[in-house]
Amino acid sequence: MDLGIAGKTALVAASTGGLGLAVARALAAEGVRVAIVGRRRDRAKEIVGELQAAYGTGAADISTKGFDAVAIEADLTTPEGIESAVEQTVADLGPIDILVLNGPGPKPGAAATLSSDDISAAFDLLVKPQHALVSHVLPGMRERRWGRILAIGSSGVTAPLPNLAVSNTGRAALAGYLKTLAAEVALDEVTVNLLLPGRIATDRVTQLDHAAAKRRDTTLEDIQLESRKTIPARRYGEPAEFGAAAAFLCSAPASYITGVALRCDGGLIRSL
């Protein structure tokens, strides 16, 4: 399938690792000009070099004609970092057609022990930066009558996850905002969706498994075995599988899909 996004420009937040990087790689493979944004300058530059070697001028895959990439060091939890990332992306790659919202997961913790600071952190990490990014790029998308906004969420949006109360709170709030926005901008040919990972084999999931092992006084291997048993596919997902789903939601053929929270979880969440 031709995804019809070669030559488009994407800003992928927190894309120096994990699911953000998986999405950036999938978009680059489709010929999208990608801004790799994160706090690790050297890692961002390294990723850009890898993408240029695979998909840049002289690469074998002609479907990526027009591909380019840029490394941007920015703290997307601050207004200054957000403004700088958007401005540099536009200056280097052109107007932003695809915005992938992503960010660090907050600390684990039970709902019964949440403090007011924890509640504030849920919005400071998982709602405010994403809203600011949308506010910067949405007017241009609406004016050009083409845009894709995709948030990397969590299966906790559908079924709150144990001991991740801060994440559950913030991500649910973001989902409510994006669902409302989707209906408001649909006439402008801008889609707004969420992609919800289950147990994808990233460093973040490994950290959570380590924390669970420590909390329950057992081994990492036992936690992972137990976790796999809860997944109908009986395995953790691969980042590339998640990236492929994201690329489709950002594509031209997906123009009639909006306001959706799609799970990429191997059947982990049992509801429809």
Side-chain angles (χ1 to χ4, degrees):
M1 179 184 293
D2 181 2
L3 297 190
I5 49 178
K8 298 290 188 183
T9 294
L11 187 161
V12 184
S15 49
T16 56
L19 297 179
L21 175 55
V23 173
R25 284 174 170 157
L27 291 174
E30 296 298 325
V32 175
R33 295 190 287 263
V34 181
I36 303 297
V37 184
R39 300 182 189 183
R40 297 181 290 171
R41 179 195 298 271
D42 291 344
R43 179 56 181 148
K45 289 182 176 180
E46 181 181 346
I47 292 166
V48 166
E50 294 171 357
L51 297 178
Q52 292 283 12
Y55 308 116
T57 303
D61 188 351
I62 61 172
S63 69
T64 60
K65 183 179 180 181
F67 164 80
D68 198 1
V70 62
I72 299 176
E73 180 184 17
D75 180 355
L76 295 181
T77 65
T78 68
E80 298 81 11
I82 290 169
E83 184 174 355
S84 173
V86 170
E87 289 180 352
Q88 188 173 337
T89 300
V90 173
D92 292 347
L93 301 177
I96 297 168
D97 305 296
I98 299 169
L99 173 63
V100 180
L101 302 172
N102 186 31
K107 67 178 182 179
T113 61
L114 284 181
S115 67
S116 59
D117 288 343
D118 291 330
I119 296 297
S120 296
F123 282 82
D124 289 343
L125 286 173
L126 299 172
V127 180
K128 290 182 179 179
Q130 290 79 352
H131 170 263
L133 279 166
V134 169
S135 297
H136 275 83
V137 306
L138 182 60
M141 290 179 174
R142 301 182 81 173
E143 182 179 349
R144 295 187 301 276
R145 296 190 60 78
W146 202 98
R148 300 289 183 264
I149 297 172
L150 178 66
I152 298 176
S154 163
S155 57
V157 170
T158 304
L161 301 170
N163 205 49
L164 287 177
V166 176
S167 176
N168 294 335
T169 300
R171 295 189 194 281
L174 178 63
Y177 160 64
L178 293 176
K179 176 62 174 177
T180 307
L181 181 66
E184 296 173 356
V185 301
L187 277 175
D188 298 313
E189 305 295 336
V190 177
T191 69
V192 184
N193 293 297
L194 294 95
L195 185 58
L196 311 181
R199 308 293 290 177
I200 310 294
T202 63
D203 291 343
R204 166 68 172 168
V205 169
T206 300
Q207 290 171 0
L208 292 174
D209 285 345
H210 272 296
K214 183 177 181 180
R215 188 172 63 252
R216 294 169 53 184
D217 192 25
T218 186
T219 66
L220 174 65
E221 290 73 18
D222 285 343
I223 291 294
Q224 292 176 333
L225 177 60
E226 181 180 308
S227 182
R228 287 195 295 271
K229 288 180 179 179
T230 68
I231 305 170
R234 291 296 187 269
R235 64 179 178 86
Y236 285 12
E238 293 297 326
E241 294 173 309
F242 185 89
F248 175 73
L249 288 175
C250 293
S251 73
S255 60
Y256 203 57
I257 300 174
T258 194
V260 166
L262 175 67
R263 295 194 298 273
C264 181
D265 67 357
L268 175 65
I269 301 300
R270 302 306 170 93
S271 63
L272 289 173

